[in-house]
Structure formats: structure tokens, C-alpha cells
Amino acid sequence: MGALLSRLCVWRSRRMFALLLAAYAAAAAWANIAAWESPFALNTAGIVGAGVLLALPVTALLLRKAGQSSLLTAGQLWALAAVAAAVNVCGNYYTFVAPGQMPLGILLTMGCACLLRAVFGRLSWPIWTFFFFTQLMQALGMLEYGSRFNSLVIAEALEASAEEWLTYMTPTNIAVLSLFVLPSAFFASLLGLVLRRAGRPALLQNGLCFCALSLMVGASLPPHKQKLDYYWPAMELRAMTMAWTEALSLNEATINQAESLRSPAEQPSSIATLKGDEGAVLVFHVGESIRADRMSLNGYERDTTPWLRQQGALINFPDCISAACDTCEVELAVMTDGRRSVRESGAEAMQPKTGSVLDLFAANGFDVYTFFGRRCAQQLKYDRVIRVLTHCSKERFNAPGSPWTSVPQMQGVLEKTPRRNLVLFINNEGSHTPFEHYDRENPPFTPTGINFEHPAAHAEEVNNAYDSTIHYTDEFIRRVTEALHGRPWVYVYISDHGEYLGHDGMWGRAALGMGHIPYHSTTGCRVGMFVLPSPEFAALHPHFAQALDNLRLHRTMTVADEHIFHTLLGLFGIETPYYDASLDLTGEQVKPYDGPKP
């Protein structure tokens, strides 16, 4: 008698669970259909869900004939629903973005749990543990940096230097990540415990049922509410896999693009302004991470650029829009005839057709020397791309410590080549994360710190450190120009991209992780750019004086990375088939940048 009552209670519990589930599905579908602005029509998700539901009775009948149960116990069903709800509250980002869609995630979590257990058995435990761990990391990234994982974030992480990794691998962050292992393993263990006694046929049957219900509920959503991301965790796992593979392909594609470009020196070119023994020097400096609005020469209230601000010959461009938030893409846009970011435009006409502008200077009598920071000695994407773009260099130098240590290297080059025309190409860390290049003994802005455990809580220290790096760059430029004393020189500077210091609700270059915030709608895409000539350079040839005058006329124009290649050619009067007068800021036919900007 007791066994019969027990079975009856279990049956009723199952029945109650099924009735509640059906009631929810019907209510959700009715509410969603009522919100449609046009007649209801099944989309792909609905068709798949309907197909799976139609197949369920057939599979249940086959299992029954085989003597196997096609149902989980009542206890397993209720426990599975409870664990799925807890998992969604703790790990599903869309539970908080769109709380009304939480039941959809719960149903699909239940379905995925059953299917994974059916397919992988006990091996589903490490799969769930890793997945939950990554979701908690996603939550931490959103909380502290305003960023979630996507292909760009992963690509940057794969290419990050040791200094960048150490910035984020603070003791607190390491401790938090270590603690994340515990709840991840706990949730995975709960799922395994709930389903451990269920047979694989029952797991398959119930898994398909829950997945089908979630698909049908999602399909009934009105068009303006339908989003694949709501199908968590299935779509999240798919997105993570695709992000990883896309990150690898993005990095490799950038390298392949740089290596595939033909040198512009393969076509005839000439220069009429210099003969080769004037000792002229072009300093071409692609800086790191300096925002235009953090330079005092652009009106910033702090005096971050005291030396540059006092230079009467300075030709400053306060409205310069960088091509991308990736250093390699910017270097391709600046040093070649490339245009906008491939990821943002995708237009064939915007692709670079030729290689580095340095090749044209080398082909016309200039000796090229390159000066890097501590990077460019590895096999990362940046190192490989910049080595391709500077392959014509007679010699490459790496600053052993801070960028200031490269000034004596430049002095050595200048002393041994007093009459040679030179290009000194500079690309060092500058204001790149972790904002550590400044005078530590006498910081201009205090207190400073690079605490990226929770940067919003240390905004003053982080901003002070960032501003100090710009002050440091100002002093670096002063020291370089001092070393050039007595030579005719022109200093062309442009930063690759900006940094986010609470701007647009983000930190670092977190726009990479915010797929719904395009880079060019953020303030970080407006970067520092200027040209500083010596009096000797302006007097060296009438062309130079006229070119500098034209630059001054255009200093209020909106400019961009794609102007640099052609402006360098126009500044020195280098004739080549790749020259475009509409992008030469030293000419009279130049057109402003008219692409996306803040």
C-alpha cells in the first residue's frame, strides 16, 4: 500500500511539474504573440522546436517498447529546475539585461544539462565547470571594465605583453578568479548529482523536450525582442567557440595582409627636393594610446604637454580620428595607402594596395632606423607586423628600459651619419596600459597608481598615471629634438588609438568587448597628432616652406590615419604612382576625413 501511495505521489509530482511547465509555455506564448505587431509566423527556432516536439512521442513509444523509462523522476525534475534557475541568476548576463527572458534560459539550461550528461556522461562535469568559470569571468569583466569577451578581446589577450597581463593579474583579481573555481565546480557537481541515476535514454528524451520548449517559447517572441543571445547557455557556448576561432584568424589575417603587400618601391619614384647630403631628418613617431583631449595643447586643464605647448612652430591637429583600436591595423592604415578598419567597412576599395611608406624614403636616398620599446622582440602579431613594415631599416633598436633610454641610441646614429638624410621611425610604449612610463621620482600628477583590480574605485590614481605618461612623452619629444640640434628636421607624430579611463562607461580599451558600441562612436578614437619642423628644415628648400604653410592652413580640418602616408610623400615632394593629392595635408586639393566619428 505504501509503495502504491509513493508511486501515486511521484506521478502527481511529475504531473504537477508538467502542468506548470505547460501553463508557463502557454502563457508566455500567448503574451508574446499578443505583443506582435504583425500576424504570427513561425521562425526557424519555432520550426525546429515544433519538429522536436513531434518527434518526442515517437521516441517515447520506442523507449517504452524497449522497456526503458523516458521520464526523469519528480525529484530530479524539480531539482534540475532549481539548479538551472540558480545557474542563470549567477552566470547568465541576459538575466539582468532582459529579466523577462530568464525562463527561456532556464528551460534551455535544463535541456543542455540532460543532453550533455547523455552524450558525455561524467565528462560533462569538467565541461560545465569550465563554462561556469568563464561566465563568472564575463560578469567580472562587465562589472570592472564594462567589457565582455568577444573575438577582439580574445585576440588582444592572445597578443598582450607580459606587462599588460600583469596589470590585470593583481593579487585581488587572482584571488577572485581562484574563488570562481569553487562555485563553478559546485554548480557542475549539482547538475551531475541531480542526473547521476538517470539513464541515457531518459536524459535524451527530457533534454530534447526542454530544448524544444525553449525554442518554441523563444520563437513566439515579437520580432523586436527576438535575440539569439537569449538562448543561453547554448548560444553563449557557440559564441565563445566562434570568438576563439575568429580571434586566431583575425590575428593571422592581419599578419598575412602585411606580408602580402608589395613594396611601393617596386614602382618608379623620385624626389626633387633633396640630393642626399643635406643631413635632413624625418622623425616619424607612431605613439601609443594618447587621447587628443588629454593634451594641454588641445585645451586640457592639466599641463600634460608643457614643452610642446610652447613651440611656436608646432602645427597641431586636434581633430584626428584613428582607424581602429588595434595597433597593427592603425600601423597598416598610417604606413600604407590603406584606409578605414577592415572590420568596420569591409569595402574592397579600403584595403591597402601597397606596403610601407618607409620603403619609398629608403628608395630615394634616406637611411631608415627604427626605435622600439621593450616590445618587438617576440613572435606576437604586433612584433611580426611592425617588422614587415620596417623591413627596409638599416638597424633596429629596442629601448632596454623606459623610452628615454632610446635617445642615446638616436644620438649614436646621428653622430655616425652627419651628412646622410635619415628617417628615425619611433614606436614605443608611451601611454599604453599599464601606464608605467613616467618619472617615478618626480611624478607631475599625484597620487599615481595602476590599480586595475577595480579601476573605477581608483579613478584618480589611474588618471594621474595616464596623464603623467603624456607628460613623459612630451619630455621624450623634447629630448629627441635636442639631440637633433643643428640638423634640419621635421617631427611627425600621431597616436595609434586612445584609452578609456571611465569615458563611455569603459576602462582600458574595453570598447573591444562592447559589440553594441562602435569604436568610432566613442571618444577614444580621437587621438593626438602634430607636426613640428625646425627652422633649418623650413629654410632647406622652398617646397618645404610652402608645404608647412599648407599644413597650418589645414590644422583645423578633421584628419585621419589615411592622410599620413600621402602627407609624408607630399611634405618631401616624393613622386610615386601611389600618391593621392586628396589625402595630402601639405597640398591644396586635400579633402577632410568624412567617416564615422564621435
Side-chain angles (χ1 to χ4, degrees):
M1 187 68 177
L4 181 61
L5 289 175
S6 176
R7 288 185 180 180
L8 186 62
C9 290
V10 169
W11 177 81
R12 286 179 177 174
S13 295
R14 282 177 176 165
R15 190 177 186 181
M16 185 180 297
F17 185 90
L19 287 173
L20 287 174
L21 196 62
Y24 159 72
W30 178 261
N32 289 333
I33 293 172
W36 277 60
E37 298 175 359
S38 58
F40 175 72
L42 279 176
N43 58 14
T44 304
I47 294 173
V48 173
V52 174
L53 278 179
L54 290 174
L56 287 175
V58 178
T59 56
L61 182 61
L62 293 175
L63 289 172
R64 186 173 182 179
K65 286 187 175 180
Q68 298 177 344
S69 174
S70 62
L71 295 173
L72 295 177
T73 66
Q76 288 173 325
L77 289 172
W78 289 109
L80 180 60
V83 175
V87 164
N88 275 264
V89 170
C90 296
N92 185 356
Y93 167 73
Y94 295 98
T95 294
F96 305 96
V97 174
Q101 309 310 320
M102 180 182 173
L104 193 156
I106 293 175
L107 285 172
L108 197 55
T109 301
M110 295 171 68
C112 289
C114 292
L115 293 177
L116 276 177
R117 182 77 180 185
V119 175
F120 296 103
R122 292 181 179 179
L123 289 178
S124 62
W125 181 85
I127 296 174
W128 278 119
T129 301
F130 176 75
F131 178 77
F132 294 147
F133 179 77
T134 61
Q135 295 310 291
L136 292 174
M137 287 182 64
Q138 294 265 42
L140 178 65
M142 280 299 301
L143 179 66
E144 293 200 1
Y145 309 110
S147 175
R148 300 185 78 239
F149 296 159
N150 65 12
S151 59
L152 303 185
V153 171
I154 295 174
E156 287 295 312
L158 292 173
E159 294 298 317
S161 63
E163 292 83 5
E164 291 178 82
W165 273 108
L166 290 174
T167 300
Y168 296 93
M169 290 295 101
T170 60
T172 301
N173 278 348
I174 292 173
V176 170
L177 291 176
S178 300
L179 290 175
F180 281 174
V181 176
L182 297 177
S184 302
F186 174 73
F187 281 130
S189 299
L190 278 182
L191 287 176
L193 189 64
V194 168
L195 301 175
R196 73 185 189 280
R197 294 181 180 177
R200 292 198 172 188
L203 289 171
L204 284 171
Q205 177 78 358
N206 286 269
L208 290 173
C209 177
F210 292 131
C211 288
L213 285 174
S214 68
L215 288 171
M216 294 197 71
V217 169
S220 66
L221 290 171
H224 63 279
K225 289 187 177 182
Q226 288 185 6
K227 192 172 183 179
L228 285 176
D229 293 334
Y230 294 157
Y231 293 96
W232 190 94
M235 292 308 299
E236 180 70 12
L237 185 60
R238 174 180 176 272
M240 289 172 58
T241 303
M242 291 182 64
W244 178 264
T245 56
E246 186 179 353
L248 295 176
S249 64
L250 282 173
N251 286 343
E252 197 62 33
T254 304
I255 296 169
N256 292 338
Q257 183 182 35
E259 293 177 341
S260 67
L261 295 174
R262 298 175 67 87
S263 171
E266 293 181 7
Q267 295 293 324
S269 62
S270 62
I271 183 170
T273 55
L274 297 173
K275 297 178 181 178
D277 57 357
E278 295 87 353
V281 181
L282 164 63
V283 181
F284 182 20
H285 187 170
V286 179
E288 269 286 358
S289 309
I290 290 185
R291 298 169 57 104
D293 60 2
R294 299 300 279 263
M295 304 171 77
S296 56
L297 59 89
N298 290 324
Y300 186 46
E301 62 271 16
R302 278 181 166 175
D303 201 3
T304 54
T305 53
W307 185 81
L308 284 170
R309 188 173 48 80
Q310 297 173 12
Q311 303 311 301
L314 185 75
I315 307 170
N316 181 47
F317 294 85
D319 193 16
C320 178
I321 309 300
S322 72
C325 49
D326 176 78
T327 300
C328 290
E329 286 192 38
V330 169
E331 284 168 341
L332 284 167
V334 166
M335 300 177 70
T336 74
D337 63 345
R339 301 292 293 274
R340 291 286 83 182
S341 168
V342 174
R343 277 193 291 271
E344 292 193 7
S345 67
E348 186 66 28
M350 304 299 267
Q351 305 301 312
K353 299 178 179 63
T354 187
S356 175
V357 68
L358 299 181
D359 290 6
L360 288 169
F361 280 89
N364 286 278
F366 286 77
D367 292 342
V368 180
Y369 294 87
T370 54
F371 301 86
F372 302 109
R374 287 174 293 184
R375 299 175 304 173
C376 207
Q378 309 170 77
Q379 291 301 314
L380 301 179
K381 176 183 68 172
Y382 161 80
D383 308 301
R384 293 169 64 182
V385 169
I386 198 61
R387 282 198 292 268
V388 170
L389 295 174
T390 60
H391 73 96
C392 64
S393 303
K394 282 187 171 293
E395 195 170 356
R396 293 189 179 96
F397 297 89
N398 287 89
S402 70
W404 281 354
T405 59
S406 64
V407 177
Q409 298 172 338
M410 296 181 202
Q411 288 175 325
V413 170
L414 292 167
E415 289 171 1
K416 72 179 183 181
T417 57
R419 304 300 303 169
R420 295 291 297 168
N421 293 334
L422 305 176
V423 175
L424 306 183
F425 177 77
I426 303 172
N427 185 219
N428 48 31
E429 282 85 354
S431 298
H432 198 284
T433 309
F435 313 150
E436 63 181 4
H437 293 299
Y438 58 89
D439 188 352
R440 300 298 183 88
E441 296 181 359
N442 187 30
F445 311 109
T446 58
T448 61
I450 51 172
N451 192 322
F452 268 70
E453 293 170 2
H454 187 35
H458 303 275
E460 181 183 4
E461 295 94 328
V462 174
N463 276 276
N464 286 341
Y466 179 75
D467 287 347
S468 295
T469 64
I470 300 177
H471 192 281
Y472 174 99
T473 299
D474 179 81
E475 173 62 15
F476 170 79
I477 295 169
R478 186 196 70 78
R479 295 187 181 194
V480 172
T481 58
E482 189 176 72
L484 293 166
H485 182 69
R487 301 277 291 260
W489 54 265
V490 59
Y491 201 117
V492 178
Y493 177 92
I494 185 170
S495 183
D496 56 356
H497 52 73
E499 289 280 346
Y500 295 94
L501 302 152
H503 306 87
D504 304 298
M506 296 172 287
W507 289 86
R509 275 181 291 157
L512 290 172
M514 301 292 286
H516 59 283
I517 303 181
Y519 172 63
H520 287 111
S521 68
T522 66
T523 54
C525 73
R526 186 174 280 112
V527 297
M529 177 188 166
F530 62 82
V531 177
L532 178 61
S534 70
E536 295 84 357
F537 178 78
L540 194 58
H541 192 281
H543 173 84
F544 298 150
Q546 182 61 53
L548 294 171
D549 286 342
N550 287 339
L551 277 173
R552 292 186 183 94
L553 289 174
H554 300 140
R555 64 185 183 275
T556 58
M557 180 183 292
T558 300
V559 301
D561 291 345
E562 49 261 45
H563 284 101
I564 300 298
F565 178 92
H566 307 278
T567 297
L568 291 175
L569 297 178
L571 179 60
F572 281 85
I574 297 178
E575 297 183 1
T576 170
Y578 297 107
Y579 171 74
D580 185 345
S582 68
L583 293 170
D584 176 14
L585 294 169
T586 70
E588 298 178 354
Q589 304 176 40
V590 64
K591 297 178 181 179
Y593 166 77
D594 60 356
K597 56 180 288 189

